[in-house]
Amino acid sequence: MRWLIDTIGGLYELARLGVITRFRFRGAYWRWRMETAFGQGVPEGRIEMIHAVLEYGRWMRRMRRGG
């Protein structure tokens, strides 16, 4: 149950970040985010990429909640 709540909160945080950056996914912030998150090795499959993005959203949610 906790995982589901964190996932929903993470999706909210990702949507919020999208609004803040005006969904310019090729912009400076998102290029920087991809470089710092993955370095030179971007996840190979679509499933791995989705998993990594959702995990990032969950992490953002935990950080904004303070733990």
Side-chain angles (χ1 to χ4, degrees):
M1 186 68 166
R2 180 72 177 174
W3 178 84
L4 180 62
I5 292 170
D6 284 344
T7 299
I8 292 169
L11 290 171
Y12 168 78
E13 293 296 336
L14 290 169
R16 181 179 173 276
L17 187 58
V19 169
I20 289 170
T21 60
R22 298 181 184 173
F23 296 98
R24 294 181 185 158
F25 297 121
R26 303 271 187 226
Y29 172 80
W30 288 102
R31 280 192 315 246
W32 170 81
R33 181 76 253 159
M34 289 295 286
E35 289 173 7
T36 57
F38 302 117
Q40 299 299 323
V42 177
E44 294 192 19
R46 179 174 288 233
I47 300 291
E48 290 178 18
M49 178 64 84
I50 291 170
H51 178 74
V53 169
L54 287 175
E55 188 60 37
Y56 176 63
R58 287 185 212 109
W59 177 83
M60 284 193 312
R61 175 70 175 165
R62 286 191 305 269
M63 293 301 108
R64 287 185 53 85
R65 288 184 58 224

